[in-house]
Amino acid sequence: LAALSLDALPTGHEDQMQTLQVLHASLANMPEPADSERPRTYTPRNPYPTPSSFPQTPATAFDSPAIFDKFDTDTLFFIFYYLQGTYQQYLAARELKKQSWRYHKKYLTWFQRHEEPKVTAEEYEQGTYVYFDYETGWCQRIKSEFTFEYGYLEDELQV
């Protein structure tokens, strides 16, 4: 296809010429196998000049799932809310779920039963919950008589 020349087409075949031009442009911009691979270099999302003696790339230890069970809950919440869209966010969420925290998709925060629910139905449960307040206090708060609708429960993440 690349060997064909636009000059080789007989005149009057404008449609064929246009098609050949489009195919030639498509061939020139064809994806390479490396285009589907993850980039190997680290690029900070919010670069800021730091001393060269500071680490310039994240430690590889944070790619290991085993380290996440050693983090306290506040650290896991920090990783979850500040490393969005990363493998570390996934690992933090998985560890929070292991600790019986459940993510509420409507309120975009984590809840944990404070006590057994007072009411349990097919589509919801009601009772007292601890929730993580990431917006106003970065702390855990208690919510009494809260109705947790199961439809808002994040349940795709497997523990």
Side-chain angles (χ1 to χ4, degrees), residues 136-153:
T136 61
W138 198 265
C139 61
Q140 296 177 24
R141 299 185 189 274
I142 294 182
K143 181 74 173 167
S144 300
E145 298 181 31
F146 179 73
T147 302
F148 198 121
E149 297 176 57
Y150 297 140
Y152 293 117
L153 176 65

Side-chain angles (χ1 to χ4, degrees):
L1 183 63
L4 292 176
S5 170
L6 296 177
D7 299 331
L9 290 175
T11 57
H13 292 91
E14 292 175 14
D15 289 341
Q16 288 179 346
M17 196 156 102
Q18 259 186 328
T19 302
L20 191 55
Q21 285 174 333
V22 169
L23 286 172
H24 184 66
S26 176
L27 181 63
N29 296 305
M30 186 171 72
E32 298 290 326
D35 292 339
S36 65
E37 293 176 9
R38 196 174 188 181
R40 303 253 186 253
T41 58
Y42 172 72
T43 306
R45 285 189 277 177
N46 299 310
Y48 190 81
T50 57
S52 60
S53 60
F54 285 12
Q56 299 298 309
T57 58
T60 56
F62 296 112
D63 292 336
S64 170
I67 197 169
F68 280 74
D69 66 357
K70 295 173 178 48
F71 291 148
D72 66 14
T73 308
D74 281 341
T75 303
L76 294 170
F77 285 133
F78 180 83
I79 292 168
F80 180 81
Y81 286 106
Y82 282 92
L83 293 178
Q84 292 134 346
T86 65
Y87 181 55
Q88 289 76 20
Q89 182 188 37
Y90 162 79
L91 292 174
R94 194 175 80 166
E95 186 59 33
L96 286 165
K97 283 188 86 167
K98 284 182 187 176
Q99 296 177 17
S100 300
W101 286 92
R102 298 296 176 250
Y103 189 70
H104 195 288
K105 295 188 288 189
K106 179 179 177 182
Y107 297 116
L108 306 177
T109 195
W110 292 87
F111 284 80
Q112 187 181 59
R113 287 179 179 166
H114 185 63
E115 58 191 24
E116 285 301 309
K118 291 184 170 83
V119 178
T120 304
E122 191 172 317
E123 296 184 11
Y124 70 91
E125 61 185 50
Q126 188 175 33
T128 303
Y129 292 82
V130 176
Y131 71 96
F132 183 72
D133 179 5
Y134 70 96
E135 292 182 303
T136 61
W138 198 265
C139 61
Q140 296 177 24
R141 299 185 189 274
I142 294 182
K143 181 74 173 167
S144 300
E145 298 181 31
F146 179 73
T147 302
F148 198 121
E149 297 176 57
Y150 297 140
Y152 293 117
L153 176 65
E154 184 283 317
D155 59 357
E156 296 171 30
L157 182 66
Q158 300 299 315
V159 181

